[in-house]
């Protein structure tokens, strides 16, 4: 996988006085990552550190008749075993989402008298080393009474299905309806109606670094520090303090280097407060590092949709309305945002299209499985997959070209800001531009001619188009659980070096680089004059964190405004030193417009700390902080085109070409953006072709290891031709929209549309993901028999 552009990378020094924003600057994070000198949680060793290992349920559903910890406690090196009775006084794992009538099961940190999914924590063993802790966990005897589990959300809704939570025998956590326009009238007016059942299978987010927690308690100060691989350190502090009942100012959360999160670490899990509890109880540090197997069974999954679509249209291809039912597999509990995810799907169901009539019903279903929650795209890949499949199905029904039908239904350029059927206001866009660009790159007309030839020769070649719009930059606080603002502090040291403190948490996205580009440009300094710090509640002012592709559009905007404040201070101090009211700040220098005399930013910074004299109403030093509340989300968009070929004999799918044209507003760093698109596409391709978290009828995760759960390896990735259009967002001063999830959102429908197109001569109209060779082979066999 590589980028198509071969432009030489500028060195930071060379680029010193050129605008850095917009340049393909290499990530400053990478040297420590590729030389193995970064410090992840598991790299940390504290004196007297203990290790924890969990006893977890091997059953999808069972009553706990008794727990005997004695055999574990007899093992040399085992220090303690804790069960529900020890932690009964602590708060539950929190759910931050609310919906009318939502049923919220009490999510104890350790199972009380029943287990609800394989991996459910029942006890935690503390020992002198990791291996003894593991032996200890195996020695704990738990007397289970197995119960019938239910893991298929549609079966869970059937009468007589085993109840996941006995108090709610219908397994329904909530129902939710969202309506816009007059959908009945749209369907009455329709000349054609197409229907399909479309699934978005359960997926494992699969960050390279699993979850990891290290807690350290200083009893003299009554101060608890928890190092945890978290996308939301401050929210984690607030919530863990509540669970443990410790004062928030005595709790410090540090999120050290992270090997990705992909939404799975936008959460507070039982292990975080439990390690805090153990550290306080034993008076010694304790570490828990998730195994890969635990990551499969105990960290949230994504997707888990069964959707029923009906699209009403005119014969000319104009879409009139959409009816939709989502059956959302929630798993056994609500994690932080579980019930909110399908509501995000509904919000983005109109995609890039103008139709104004929608009726969407969601039913959230409890199953005996680990909870679903936010995984890269969180609700939007499901929506985009659904609407983009339906548009292709409609095009096939009407024998229209899939590009033409999209162009016909796009929101027009003069309609922005555009109010959607689901109550959103799309900020800005030129939706046909990426599609035209992508069609140009593949030479669409020639490609279709080539396909005709291939078909004549008996080859199964497909061309798939998907366009997408996504909601990101979460978001106005009124619409985001726990607040949607973000914070930044910019500190100029006496030597003139810059420290940026940001409330977002970089965990692979590269803001240590892009935020330094923004700060260096605004102050006229070099990128090496700036460091970006994040992820430590004792260092950084409160922030919301990183998710929903918000860090740049919201956190970057907060940084921009803090920089404007700092620039004002620099001019005021500079003016004082130059004895002039008429000064300009440019290129790292404040210049008197009358005399031409100047002072460098470094000289002004030093003087501001020395404080021999200060401008009126000014404090010594040179710091500015901004808390920025965005007025709206931003809505990136794009078009992906996939050329595929299916092997008739094996069902294997070869991706021959992958073209991604994405519009995430103004590009801060095109190299990083390309990396984000590549990574996103890898995860979308994984869903389209290989990945599936399958629970059997007993609630066992049968694809619970990497031998069975096929994430794409580098050799399985196609060459990605990544291009852009740039439509600035009016929502923030950077003009930036998010890009962290775009690749995933655009990918899966483009791939499925391509493969369905390849198999359409065999009468295939729809395929569910993952399109494994076995599934495709069976489809081909079935078609040839028919
Ligand atoms: N960027 C840019 N120009 C733009 C938009 C973004 O140069 N117009 C840059 C940003 O400055 C940043 C990167 O692109 O360096 C991604 O920025 P943004 O779109 O703001 O997304 P976030 O930083 O908020 O990241 C969150 C997003 C999400 S929601 C998931 S899930 C995801 C993703 O990012 N998880 C990731 N990308 C990931 N990448 C890695 N390596 N690891 C993860 O866990």
């Amino acid at each position: 996988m590589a980028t198509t552009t071969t432009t030489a990378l500028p060195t930071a020094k060379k680029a010193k006085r050129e605008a850095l924003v917009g340049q393909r600057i290499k990530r400053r994070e990478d040297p420590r990552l590729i030389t193995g000198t970064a410090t992840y949680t598991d790299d940390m060793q504290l004196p007297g550190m203990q290790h924890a290992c969990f006893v977890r349920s091997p059953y999808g559903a069972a009553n706990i008749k008794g727990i005997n910890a004695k055999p574990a406690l007899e093992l040399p090196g085992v220090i303690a075993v804790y069960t529900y009775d020890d932690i009964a006084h602590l708060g539950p794992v929190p759910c931050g989402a609310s919906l009318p009538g939502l049923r919220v099961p009490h999510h104890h940190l350790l199972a009380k008298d029943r287990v609800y999914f394989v991996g459910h924590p029942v006890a935690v063993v503390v020992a002198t080393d990791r291996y003894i802790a593991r032996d200890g966990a195996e020695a704990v005897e738990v007397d289970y009474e197995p119960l019938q589990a239910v893991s298929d959300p549609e079966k869970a809704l059937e009468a007589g299905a085993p109840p996941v939570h006995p108090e709610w025998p219908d397994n329904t956590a909530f129902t939710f309806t969202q309506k816009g326009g007059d959908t009945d009238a749209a369907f009455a007016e329709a000349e054609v109606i197409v229907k399909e059942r479309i699934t978005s299978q359960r997926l494992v987010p699969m960050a390279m670094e699993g979850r990891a927690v290290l807690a350290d308690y200083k009893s003299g100060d009554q101060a608890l520090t928890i190092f945890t691989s978290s996308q939301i350190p401050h929210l984690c502090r607030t919530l863990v303090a509540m669970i443990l009942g410790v004062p928030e100012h005595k709790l410090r959360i540090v999120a050290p280097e992270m090997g990705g999160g992909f939404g799975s670490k936008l959460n507070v899990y039982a292990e975080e407060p439990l390690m805090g509890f153990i550290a306080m109880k034993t008076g010694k540090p304790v570490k828990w590092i998730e195994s890969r197997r635990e990551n499969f069974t105990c960290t949230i999954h994504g997707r888990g949709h069964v959707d029923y679509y009906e699209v009403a249209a005119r014969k000319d291809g104009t879409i009139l309305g959409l009816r939709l039912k989502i059956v959302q597999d929630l798993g056994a509990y609500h994690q932080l945002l579980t019930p909110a995810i399908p509501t995000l799907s509904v919000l983005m169901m109109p995609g890039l299209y103008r139709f104004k009539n929608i009726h969407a019903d969601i039913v959230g279903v409890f199953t005996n499985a680990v909870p679903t929650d936010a995984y890269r795209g969180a609700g939007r890949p499901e929506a985009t997959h659904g609407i983009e499949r339906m548009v292709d199905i409609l095009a096939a029904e009407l024998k229209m070209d899939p590009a033409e039908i999209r162009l016909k239904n796009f929101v027009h350029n003069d309609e922005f800001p555009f109010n959607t059927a689901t109550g959103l206001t799309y900020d800005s866009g030129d939706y046909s531009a990426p599609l035209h660009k992508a069609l140009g790159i593949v030479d669409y007309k020639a490609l279709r001619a080539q396909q005709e030839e291939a078909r004549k020769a008996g080859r199964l070649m497909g061309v798939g188009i998907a366009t997408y719009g996504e909601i990101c930059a979460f978001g106005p606080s009124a619409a985001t659980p726990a607040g949607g603002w973000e914070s930044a502090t910019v500190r100029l040291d006496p030597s003139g070096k810059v420290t940026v403190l940001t409330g977002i948490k970089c965990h692979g996205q590269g803001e240590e680089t892009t935020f330094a580009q923004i700060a260096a440009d605004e102050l006229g300094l070099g990128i090496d004059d700036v460091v970006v710090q994040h992820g430590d509640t004792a260092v950084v002012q409160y922030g919301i964190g990183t998710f929903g592709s918000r860090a740049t559009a919201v956190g970057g905007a907060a940084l921009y405004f803090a920089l404007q404040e700092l620039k004002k201070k620099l001019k005021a101090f500079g003016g004082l030193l130059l004895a002039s009211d008429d000064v300009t700040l440019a290129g790292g220098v404040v210049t008197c417009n009358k005399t031409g005399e100047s002072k460098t930013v470094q000289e002004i910074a030093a003087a501001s700390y020395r404080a021999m004299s200060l401008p009126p109403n000014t404090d010594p030093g040179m710091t500015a902080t901004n808390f920025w509340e965005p007025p709206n989300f931003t809505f990136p968009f794009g078009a992906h085109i996939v050329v595929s070929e299916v092997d008739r004999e094996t069902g294997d799918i070869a991706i021959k070409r992958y073209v991604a044209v994405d519009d995430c507003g103004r590009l801060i760093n095109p190299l990083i953006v390309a990396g984000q698109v590549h990574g996103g596409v890898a995860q979308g391709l994984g869903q389209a072709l290989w990945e599936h978290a399958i629970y059997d009828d007993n609630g066992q995760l049968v694809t619970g290891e990497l031998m069975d759960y096929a994430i794409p390896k580098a050799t399985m990735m196609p060459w990605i031709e990544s291009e852009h259009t740039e439509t600035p967002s009016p929502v923030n001063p950077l003009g930036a929209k998010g890009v962290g999830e775009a690749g995933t959102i655009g990918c899966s429908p483009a791939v499925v549309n391509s493969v369905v197109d390849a198999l359409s001569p065999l009468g295939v109209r729809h395929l569910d993901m993952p399109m494994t060779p076995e599934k495709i082979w069976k489809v081909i066999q079935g078609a040839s028999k028919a």
Side-chain angles (χ1 to χ4, degrees):
M1 184 171 56
T3 172
T4 46
T5 312
T6 52
T7 322
L9 300 167
T11 62
K13 204 170 173 198
K14 204 171 116 197
K16 201 171 175 189
R17 294 294 175 204
E18 295 165 12
L20 297 171
V21 167
Q23 289 203 45
R24 298 170 56 83
I25 293 173
K26 279 187 177 178
R27 293 201 319 177
R28 310 163 85 204
E29 299 77 340
D30 287 346
R32 67 172 189 264
L33 298 177
I34 57 184
T35 57
T37 51
T39 307
Y40 295 85
T41 303
D42 198 23
D43 294 318
M44 304 179 75
Q45 303 292 334
L46 296 179
M49 193 172 75
Q50 315 165 101
H51 296 261
C53 184
F54 283 85
V55 179
R56 295 186 183 274
S57 169
Y59 294 103
N63 286 324
I64 300 173
K65 308 298 271 181
I67 302 173
N68 179 14
K70 206 162 164 266
L73 289 165
E74 283 168 357
L75 289 178
V78 169
I79 296 160
V81 178
Y82 299 105
T83 61
Y84 172 78
D85 289 341
D86 300 297
I87 55 90
H89 61 290
L90 302 180
V93 177
C95 169
S98 61
L99 285 171
L102 178 69
R103 290 167 169 172
V104 184
H106 198 87
H107 191 170
H108 303 291
L109 302 184
L110 293 170
K112 189 177 175 192
D113 44 21
R114 184 173 168 129
V115 287
Y116 294 88
F117 63 96
V118 167
H120 196 158
V122 173
V124 55
V125 176
V126 185
T128 48
D129 81 30
R130 194 178 176 184
Y131 303 97
I132 297 172
R134 179 78 185 256
D135 288 347
E138 278 173 17
V140 173
E141 294 168 356
V142 185
D143 183 8
Y144 293 105
E145 178 191 34
L147 300 165
Q148 183 54 52
V150 62
S151 55
D152 178 314
E154 290 194 295
K155 284 189 188 161
L157 289 176
E158 286 170 8
V164 175
H165 297 279
E167 60 272 39
W168 300 308
D170 60 3
N171 288 325
T172 301
F174 68 91
T175 56
F176 182 77
T177 296
Q178 180 146 3
K179 290 190 238 179
D182 187 344
T183 310
D184 288 342
F187 274 76
E189 189 195 331
E191 292 164 341
V192 54
I193 294 174
V194 285
K195 303 181 182 184
E196 191 55 75
R197 174 186 188 271
I198 297 176
T199 62
S200 267
Q201 76 274 30
R202 255 186 189 258
L203 298 176
V204 181
M206 200 65 69
M208 200 180 287
E209 180 210 24
R211 290 186 291 124
V213 187
L214 166 58
D216 184 26
Y217 184 62
K218 301 277 180 257
S219 56
D221 300 330
Q222 297 180 326
L224 177 65
T225 300
I226 300 179
F227 301 87
T228 179
S229 191
S230 173
Q231 297 174 217
I232 46 167
H234 281 95
L235 294 178
C236 184
R237 183 181 64 166
T238 301
L239 294 168
V240 171
M242 277 164 58
I243 297 168
L244 290 175
V246 299
E248 191 171 355
H249 65 303
K250 294 281 188 175
L251 175 60
R252 174 183 176 195
I253 298 283
V254 185
E257 195 74 69
M258 283 170 64
F262 307 110
S264 70
K265 297 170 183 174
L266 159 58
N267 237 304
V268 172
Y269 290 92
E271 290 84 354
E272 285 155 330
L274 280 172
M275 290 312 115
F277 164 78
I278 295 168
M280 289 194 288
K281 192 97 180 153
T282 60
K284 286 186 181 165
V286 60
K287 185 197 271 185
W288 168 74
I289 302 297
E290 187 182 57
S291 69
R292 186 53 61 188
R293 181 81 191 180
E294 285 180 301
N295 185 255
F296 268 102
T297 53
C298 313
T299 290
I300 61 103
H301 289 174
R303 321 285 189 254
H305 269 223
V306 182
D307 299 339
Y308 292 86
Y309 290 90
E310 288 181 53
V311 172
R314 290 204 190 100
K315 274 188 188 151
D316 67 357
T318 306
I319 301 172
L320 300 172
L322 174 67
R323 277 198 194 119
L324 159 77
K325 180 181 173 188
I326 295 177
V327 179
Q328 171 72 55
D329 176 359
L330 300 167
Y333 286 111
H334 305 317
Q335 280 280 346
L336 199 57
L337 297 171
T338 302
I341 305 300
T343 66
L344 273 179
S345 301
V346 169
L347 284 181
M348 283 318 295
M349 271 304 163
L352 302 182
Y353 307 115
R354 302 177 71 224
F355 70 86
K356 289 275 191 168
N357 306 302
I358 189 165
H359 182 123
D361 293 317
I362 308 174
V363 53
V365 188
F366 289 123
T367 56
N368 290 111
V370 75
T372 52
D373 203 306
Y375 166 50
R376 204 168 194 168
R380 289 96 88 207
E382 296 90 318
T384 305
H385 193 78
I387 189 69
E388 289 302 296
R389 282 296 304 123
M390 290 310 294
V391 169
D392 256 33
I393 289 168
L394 178 63
E397 182 76 20
L398 297 172
K399 299 196 172 22
M400 275 181 82
D401 184 273
E404 186 195 334
I405 196 167
R406 286 177 167 82
L407 290 165
K408 187 174 189 72
N409 284 288
F410 282 156
V411 173
H412 300 163
N413 289 1
D414 59 4
E415 291 177 316
F416 291 98
F418 179 80
N419 296 326
T420 75
T422 53
L424 297 171
T425 302
Y426 290 172
D427 55 345
S428 62
D430 178 354
Y431 293 163
S432 55
L435 181 53
H436 281 307
K437 193 163 182 178
L439 293 170
I441 292 169
V442 295
D443 194 348
Y444 190 58
K445 216 172 150 197
L447 195 62
R448 287 291 182 195
Q450 209 182 315
Q451 184 184 33
E452 272 309 302
E453 290 305 308
R455 282 182 175 166
K456 279 185 204 150
R459 282 164 47 215
L460 299 171
M461 174 182 165
V463 180
I465 297 173
T467 51
Y468 71 88
E470 68 143 323
I471 179 172
C472 70
F474 290 74
S477 294
T480 310
W485 50 269
E486 198 44 87
S487 71
T489 291
V490 191
R491 205 172 60 211
L492 215 51
D493 296 329
S495 60
K497 299 293 182 195
V498 183
T499 301
V500 170
L501 305 173
T502 171
I504 63 134
K505 170 64 198 166
C506 316
H507 55 283
Q509 293 86 352
E511 278 92 358
E512 288 179 32
T513 306
T514 49
F515 280 18
Q517 288 175 257
I518 295 167
D521 270 3
E522 288 299 318
L523 299 173
L525 299 174
I527 194 166
D528 292 336
D529 294 320
V530 185
V531 293
V532 178
Q533 294 192 354
H534 53 91
D536 184 343
T537 61
V539 174
V540 177
Q541 69 292 337
Y542 206 97
I544 300 296
T546 295
F547 53 89
S549 301
R550 70 188 301 277
T552 312
V554 189
L559 171 60
Y560 175 87
F561 286 115
L563 285 161
Q564 303 318 307
E565 189 57 34
L566 193 79
K567 282 160 68 177
K568 264 193 225 155
K569 287 190 179 179
L570 276 168
K571 281 173 75 175
F573 267 105
L576 186 77
L577 296 178
L578 295 165
S580 168
D581 290 340
D582 183 12
V583 294
T584 307
L585 169 61
V589 174
V590 173
T591 307
C592 170
N593 293 331
K594 288 197 186 109
T595 64
E597 275 184 282
S598 64
K599 292 282 177 192
T600 64
V601 162
Q602 290 82 355
E603 287 170 320
I604 299 166
S608 75
Y609 284 90
R610 182 66 186 85
M612 292 292 282
S613 59
L614 297 171
N617 305 319
T618 312
D619 295 327
M622 207 34 96
T623 302
T625 295
N626 184 271
F627 288 77
W628 190 64
E629 171 67 37
N632 191 2
F633 305 96
T634 68
F635 296 88
F637 55 96
H640 289 202
I641 297 186
V642 172
V643 183
S644 67
E645 188 153 344
V646 178
D647 187 319
R648 276 182 189 271
E649 305 300 322
T650 62
D652 206 25
I653 295 163
I655 305 295
K656 298 290 186 188
R657 258 188 110 170
Y658 197 109
V659 173
V661 181
D662 299 287
D663 193 319
C664 56
R666 184 167 165 234
L667 299 175
I668 309 295
N669 184 328
L671 183 65
I672 287 180
V673 166
Q676 287 292 311
V677 171
H678 288 178
V681 168
Q683 287 178 303
L685 205 64
Q687 170 158 31
L689 297 182
W690 303 293
E691 298 180 32
H692 192 175
I694 302 170
Y695 281 92
D696 70 11
D697 288 343
N698 294 318
Q700 294 293 335
L701 182 62
V702 293
T703 53
E705 53 185 51
L706 286 165
M707 291 301 286
D708 302 315
Y709 186 93
I711 57 166
K713 301 183 181 72
T715 54
M716 292 150 83
M717 287 300 295
W719 180 272
I720 297 166
E721 299 168 60
S722 172
E723 292 286 344
H724 297 277
T725 57
E726 262 184 90
T727 312
S729 171
V731 172
N732 63 69
L734 301 172
K737 304 184 179 191
V739 76
E741 296 156 290
T744 310
I745 294 167
C747 176
S748 72
V751 176
V752 177
N753 286 349
S754 183
V755 176
V756 170
D757 186 48
L759 298 179
S760 60
L762 306 181
V764 173
R765 171 185 134 117
H766 175 66
L767 291 165
D768 270 325
M769 303 179 287
M771 300 181 297
T772 56
E774 184 194 359
K775 185 187 279 179
I776 300 299
W777 184 84
K778 282 182 178 158
V779 167
I780 295 170
Q781 295 304 306
S784 53
K785 274 183 199 131

